[in-house]
Amino acid sequence: MSNEIARSHSTIDPYKHLQIVVNPDGTITRSLISPSTEATPDPVNDDAVVLSKDVTVNQSKNTWVRIFVPRQALDSPSSTKLPLIVDFHGGGFIFFSAASSLSHEFCSNVAVELPAIVVSVDYRLAPEHRLPAAYDDAMDALHWIKNTQDDWLMKHADFDNCFLIGSSAGGNIAYYAGLRATAQVNNLLPLKIKGLLLFPFFGAIKRTTSELRLVNDRVSPPCLSDLMW
């Protein structure tokens, strides 16, 4: 069954389902409620097991990262550095940010449970910034990490032990950032990417068997993917 035929069998309005409206200038109005969480950089807060702060990567693109450090790393005199995890949030390329509560809580848990230093990348969203903008932002973030003089990263992150992670669109971005990084290994030193952990959002022209079966799925029908792509 072709993509177009499969679409015609869906009874779901993807715009209504995603709570978006397309504006005349090509931007979208997002009505989906997405709670956000402020960074917690103040070490005076004794209750915080993970501290976080936001740092600008590219001012002209309005891109930034949120860095997460387990409190124990800041309080410990140990010279042992922690693995560096670079995370890309999900959202189908069109939703959310590194400040979204879901992303913030996930990165906080990763930082304290591994433990590790986590850099969560806030990349530009589509359709205002179509692909490969998000891939470019991912590479900008890696080069920023490579060159950074940020105190938390310099003191506590092991640049020899870096992993890229992401789910949904973030997994897709991490995958393509990893591909680009393989062509720039020497240019990224001293940052060494050891692996990728992904639950990625990929797409294709032809419908898969599961997409045909779930064409009217109430949680995530294929028409949502069509619209986001």
Side-chain angles (χ1 to χ4, degrees):
M1 183 180 293
S2 72
N3 204 13
E4 290 73 24
I5 294 175
R7 279 193 194 130
S8 69
H9 283 248
S10 177
T11 60
I12 296 170
D13 181 344
Y15 293 91
K16 183 177 180 180
H17 197 95
L18 292 172
Q19 300 179 48
I20 63 174
V21 175
V22 179
N23 302 314
D25 62 358
T27 64
I28 60 174
T29 298
R30 300 164 174 83
S31 300
L32 183 68
I33 297 174
S34 174
S36 61
T37 300
E38 295 291 330
T40 53
D42 190 355
V44 176
N45 183 357
D46 293 332
D47 294 330
V49 294
V50 177
L51 297 181
S52 59
K53 65 179 176 180
D54 297 338
V55 184
T56 298
V57 171
N58 188 311
Q59 190 170 11
S60 66
K61 295 179 181 178
N62 196 29
T63 56
W64 50 278
V65 296
R66 178 165 291 184
I67 305 172
F68 297 80
V69 177
R71 181 61 177 264
Q72 67 186 56
L74 294 178
D75 293 344
S76 172
S78 172
S79 60
T80 301
K81 293 188 175 183
L82 299 176
L84 175 60
I85 308 294
V86 182
D87 176 71
F88 301 92
H89 67 81
F93 299 107
I94 66 172
F95 289 122
F96 311 135
S97 77
S100 296
S101 295
L102 187 63
S103 176
H104 180 92
E105 291 168 11
F106 171 76
C107 292
S108 294
N109 290 335
V110 170
V112 72
E113 291 182 17
L114 286 181
I117 308 301
V118 179
V119 176
S120 180
V121 179
D122 194 75
Y123 52 87
R124 291 170 294 169
L125 299 179
E128 293 84 357
H129 306 282
R130 296 181 180 276
L131 293 178
Y135 304 151
D136 296 338
D137 295 344
M139 293 308 298
D140 281 352
L142 294 181
H143 282 283
W144 177 86
I145 293 170
K146 163 200 165 177
N147 294 313
T148 188
Q149 296 298 311
D150 180 82
D151 189 55
W152 285 5
L153 293 180
M154 294 292 290
K155 287 185 177 179
H156 304 291
D158 181 1
F159 281 28
D160 284 338
N161 199 18
C162 176
F163 293 83
L164 309 185
I165 68 173
S167 63
S168 183
N172 179 296
I173 294 167
Y175 174 78
Y176 282 103
L179 286 182
R180 289 191 182 189
T182 60
Q184 302 182 33
V185 173
N186 292 333
N187 289 336
L188 285 172
L189 294 175
L191 189 65
K192 295 181 180 179
I193 299 172
K194 294 295 183 67
L196 287 73
L197 292 84
L198 311 175
F199 188 74
F201 172 34
F202 289 128
I205 295 175
K206 293 186 65 175
R207 288 283 192 233
T208 64
T209 302
S210 62
E211 286 177 323
L212 292 172
R213 185 178 71 253
L214 299 172
V215 69
N216 283 312
D217 182 74
R218 290 298 168 182
V219 177
S220 185
C223 63
L224 302 191
S225 297
D226 295 339
L227 182 56
M228 287 185 283
W229 280 122

